[in-house]
Amino acid sequence: KAEMAGIRVEWVNPTYTSQTCRCGHREKANRNGILFRCQKCGYTIHADLNGAINIAKAISGFAA
């Protein structure tokens, strides 16, 4: 429906987006249910929000 309305649609592979930290560290243990806590740097945030941020970075070109 977005494309029919003239809204740009971007496809991003969501694999590991909620397990990857802003510091670049990716580990399954970073996500525990709804909690994301990086095992390397300690960054903590809601896991789904972390995934959404990583998807937004991939779309904008700011992904590492």
Side-chain angles (χ1 to χ4, degrees):
K1 289 184 179 181
E3 287 178 331
M4 290 188 295
I7 299 170
R8 189 180 88 197
V9 175
E10 295 279 340
W11 295 100
V12 175
N13 184 351
T15 306
Y16 305 119
T17 55
S18 65
Q19 295 177 8
T20 304
C21 184
R22 63 182 181 183
C23 75
H25 179 72
R26 182 179 80 203
E27 182 177 336
K28 187 175 183 177
N30 283 350
R31 182 173 181 156
N32 184 6
I34 64 168
L35 178 66
F36 174 89
R37 184 172 190 284
C38 181
Q39 303 300 303
K40 183 176 180 184
C41 74
Y43 177 65
T44 303
I45 192 171
H46 190 286
D48 291 340
L49 178 56
N50 184 64
I53 291 168
N54 286 331
I55 288 172
K57 286 180 182 178
I59 290 170
S60 66
F62 290 112

